[in-house]
């Protein structure tokens, strides 16, 4: 089970996490989880560049090891990098020590203060201990307020597009996935989202 739009109660319970940015400007923050992956991440980068858009990529450490050239391309194109653990661990089902070590292993490669917990699931204990794992840097745990659900085989690519179009607001943090599982919906929805909001005067910035 997942929610397309993050509920207010959840934001109230986890106030230290970032759910969206300022609503005062026409800016949308696109984010991509689970890469880098050949072809899929390349498509995202090419499409973003065609709209002069910047984004944030929450990368899995193991995928960085497998595809370092694509990881470097993300950075060279001017996008932000976020930590998404080394092995895409689910915080609620992983012992704290194992979770922290896995986070640290990815941190050694990404060297960032941005972190998104896989599946959006992290315990309060794990969240509090990120600062020590980042060696004194102030961590920013990035959640979202709009989920494209591009990973879900039960929905169509048209539905995925509408989830983003209808629910995004100024300051929204939107989640896509640059993974093979999500590729069909990403290929369909991303260009249309960029086109739709660009016509309305929105900019796309990294976090």
């Amino acid at each position: 089970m997942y929610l397309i739009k993050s509920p207010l109660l959840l934001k109230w319970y986890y106030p230290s996490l970032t759910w969206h940015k300022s609503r005062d400007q026409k800016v949308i923050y696109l984010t991509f989880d689970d890469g880098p992956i050949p072809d899929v991440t390349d498509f995202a980068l090419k499409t973003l560049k065609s709209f002069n858009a910047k984004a944030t990529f929450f990368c899995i450490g193991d995928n960085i090891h497998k595809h370092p050239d694509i990881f470097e391309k993300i950075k060279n194109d001017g996008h932000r990098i976020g930590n998404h653990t080394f092995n895409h661990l689910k915080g609620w089902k992983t012992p704290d020590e194992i979770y922290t070590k896995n986070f640290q292993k990815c941190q050694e490669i990404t060297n960032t203060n941005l972190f998104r917990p896989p599946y959006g699931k992290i315990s309060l204990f794990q969240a509090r201990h990120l600062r020590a794992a980042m060696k004194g840097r102030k961590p920013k745990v990035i959640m979202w307020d709009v989920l494209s659900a591009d990973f879900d085989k039960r929905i169509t690519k048209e539905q995925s597009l509408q989830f983003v179009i209808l629910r995004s607001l100024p300051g929204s943090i939107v989640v896509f996935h640059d993974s093979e599982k999500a590729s069909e919906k990403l290929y369909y929805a991303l260009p249309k989202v960029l086109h739709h909001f660009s016509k309305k005067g929105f900019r796309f910035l990294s976090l």
Side-chain angles (χ1 to χ4, degrees), residues 5 146 159 161-169 196-197:
K5 189 77 175 175
V146 179
Q159 287 175 306
L161 172 64
Q162 289 305 307
F163 288 157
V164 179
I165 295 290
L166 297 178
R167 291 170 172 81
S168 295
L169 301 170
H196 174 83
F197 286 105

Side-chain angles (χ1 to χ4, degrees), residues 17-71:
L17 311 187
T18 300
W19 298 91
H20 62 79
K21 301 291 281 184
S22 171
R23 301 295 193 192
D24 296 335
Q25 298 185 48
K26 297 178 76 172
V27 177
I28 289 176
Y29 299 86
L30 297 180
T31 64
F32 298 85
D33 289 6
D34 299 353
I37 296 294
D39 298 331
V40 188
T41 304
D42 293 320
F43 169 83
L45 292 172
K46 182 179 179 180
T47 306
L48 290 167
K49 183 175 287 188
S50 69
F51 285 90
N52 195 29
K54 298 302 179 186
T56 305
F57 287 76
F58 289 91
C59 298
I60 295 173
D62 190 44
N63 285 339
I64 296 173
H65 263 307
K66 292 174 181 175
H67 312 293
D69 54 329
I70 305 175
F71 179 65

Side-chain angles (χ1 to χ4, degrees), residues 172-185:
S172 280
I173 298 175
V174 181
V175 180
F176 284 104
H177 293 78
D178 52 331
S179 64
E180 291 181 0
K181 181 169 65 173
S183 60
E184 180 186 3
K185 296 181 183 69

Side-chain angles (χ1 to χ4, degrees), residues 147-160:
L147 187 65
S148 68
D150 51 3
F151 56 85
D152 192 341
K153 294 180 179 180
R154 297 170 297 178
I155 69 166
T156 66
K157 58 188 180 182
E158 290 83 7
Q159 287 175 306
S160 180

Side-chain angles (χ1 to χ4, degrees), residues 117-130:
Y119 310 99
K121 295 179 179 180
I122 186 172
S123 71
L124 288 174
F125 179 89
Q126 291 162 352
R128 291 192 196 104
H129 283 72
L130 291 181

Side-chain angles (χ1 to χ4, degrees), residues 58-94:
F58 289 91
C59 298
I60 295 173
D62 190 44
N63 285 339
I64 296 173
H65 263 307
K66 292 174 181 175
H67 312 293
D69 54 329
I70 305 175
F71 179 65
E72 290 301 318
K73 188 175 181 181
I74 294 171
K75 295 190 291 182
N76 291 339
D77 280 4
H79 304 292
R80 289 290 306 276
I81 297 295
N83 183 327
H84 203 46
T85 73
F86 196 87
N87 297 107
H88 205 257
L89 299 185
K90 186 177 292 187
W92 292 358
K93 293 187 176 182
T94 305

